[in-house]
Amino acid sequence: MGRIPHRPGGPWPGILLAASVLGSCLQLTLAQTPVTIVPPSTVQIRSPTSRVLATVVLRGSEILPKPTVTPRQIQVLENGTFTLRCNSSPSANTVLWLQDGVSLAPSDRLVLSPDNRTLTVLGVTRGDAGTYQCEVRNPVSTNRSENSTVTLAYGPDSARIDPPGPIGLTLGSPLTLTCVANSVPAPSYRWVLNGTDTKETGSSLTFKLTTWAQQGTYECRAHNPVTGRTAWASVAVRVTGTDSRCRNETPRENEAPVPVYENLPPTAGAGPVAQPGSPPDPSPTYQTLQPRQPDVYEELKK
């Protein structure tokens, strides 16, 4: 039995081969003692007389470790661009990309580097948000990375208030207004009544109509701090019912009372003076109407 010489080039777990010639067949067996070689290596199989029977090139492949994708989390603006990198062993000769478990193919928007280890997405849409993985392969193993999460910042495109208006309530009624805006990340809120900031910042506004000053136009403003966009919505709230009608019939407190005039008895020198023997003056005599003093105005009663 002849032993197979090898060309060492550094550490690599390998085996020492032994060969024997049985007639026209070549039989290879494993030796008991391991040796160290670096693939690719070339070995020659010799007979006991040192005749070269064959030359064999040994190529080795490692079990691939789990790759990683960087960054692990990323947030990108709508219509923006993001890039992911697959970090893996150099012995991985195949790299694939997946979104939400589905394999990705290159396109005008999905650009791969020559070694497939870098993925760039252009003109990001809301459908590009999700989890991304890279998968590496070689002849002896396959391994897949953990998830890298891509979120998309967008909106708010619009806002609305529930319930919609106009809303009519009597004094003492409770009311909850809810502002709804589709936005990532979640927007901040401000509530405005008749153009004045109420200092309320939640998505819902709950209160009880206890005064007439609480009626008017309520407006919510939803703002996304990442996109810089703001959406508005408004609703009209009015006080109705018996209390409202009674109030409408009550005179305004600051309204001046209606002046009342009355006839006064004639005074000396008032009107023309009749002369003795003169025919009666056909023109009627009028008396001047004088208003009462301001402190004695009265309101006419029906």
Side-chain angles (χ1 to χ4, degrees):
M1 178 178 295
R3 301 178 70 82
I4 302 175
H6 61 277
R7 299 176 182 177
W12 182 78
I15 57 174
L16 180 64
L17 298 180
S20 61
V21 178
L22 300 176
S24 61
C25 298
L26 177 66
Q27 182 179 17
L28 300 178
T29 60
L30 296 178
Q32 297 298 322
T33 304
V35 296
T36 300
I37 60 175
V38 175
S41 294
T42 301
V43 297
Q44 291 180 335
I45 301 175
R46 298 176 181 272
S47 68
T49 60
S50 297
R51 180 186 174 189
V52 177
L53 301 177
T55 298
V56 180
V57 178
L58 300 180
R59 301 184 184 275
S61 295
E62 65 174 334
I63 301 298
L64 292 171
K66 181 185 289 292
T68 60
V69 174
T70 52
R72 290 292 302 274
Q73 290 187 341
I74 186 172
Q75 186 175 79
V76 60
L77 291 174
E78 193 169 15
N79 299 317
T81 299
F82 69 88
T83 298
L84 300 176
R85 171 73 184 175
C86 182
N87 307 290
S88 65
S89 169
S91 65
N93 51 24
T94 302
V95 178
L96 302 175
W97 286 93
L98 306 97
Q99 181 192 2
D100 298 330
V102 179
S103 180
L104 293 175
S107 67
D108 292 341
R109 294 196 312 108
L110 304 180
V111 181
L112 294 174
S113 61
D115 61 1
N116 280 15
R117 283 175 163 78
T118 300
L119 170 68
T120 300
V121 181
L122 309 173
V124 178
T125 67
R126 299 182 188 185
D128 294 322
T131 58
Y132 287 78
Q133 296 172 289
C134 70
E135 183 177 282
V136 294
R137 299 175 182 176
N138 68 12
V140 298
S141 65
T142 298
N143 215 333
R144 186 177 292 186
S145 71
E146 298 293 339
N147 290 335
S148 174
T149 302
V150 176
T151 57
L152 189 68
Y154 63 88
D157 300 324
S158 61
R160 74 174 192 273
I161 294 178
D162 290 334
I167 300 172
L169 296 171
T170 59
L171 282 177
S173 300
L175 178 61
T176 296
L177 302 175
T178 301
C179 190
V180 180
N182 188 18
S183 173
V184 175
S188 60
Y189 296 92
R190 288 177 57 204
W191 289 91
V192 175
L193 171 59
N194 297 329
T196 302
D197 193 346
T198 66
K199 309 301 182 183
E200 298 292 335
T201 58
S203 61
S204 293
L205 181 66
T206 299
F207 59 99
K208 182 178 288 188
L209 283 168
T210 57
T211 67
W212 296 91
Q214 290 173 292
Q215 70 174 349
T217 300
Y218 285 82
E219 180 182 87
C220 81
R221 300 177 181 178
H223 176 72
N224 186 327
V226 176
T227 65
R229 300 184 64 176
T230 302
W232 293 265
S234 63
V235 64
V237 177
R238 295 289 181 263
V239 176
T240 62
T242 304
D243 292 339
S244 177
R245 289 192 298 269
C246 290
R247 178 180 173 85
N248 290 337
E249 294 175 359
T250 304
R252 297 177 182 176
E253 296 176 358
N254 296 327
E255 184 177 340
V258 178
V260 178
Y261 295 89
E262 63 179 7
N263 290 327
L264 296 177
T267 58
V273 178
Q275 299 298 324
S278 300
D281 190 347
S283 61
T285 300
Y286 296 94
Q287 294 180 344
T288 304
L289 294 178
Q290 301 293 334
R292 292 185 178 182
Q293 296 301 319
D295 57 348
V296 294
Y297 283 175
E298 293 182 0
E299 186 173 343
L300 292 177
K301 304 297 183 178
K302 292 183 179 181

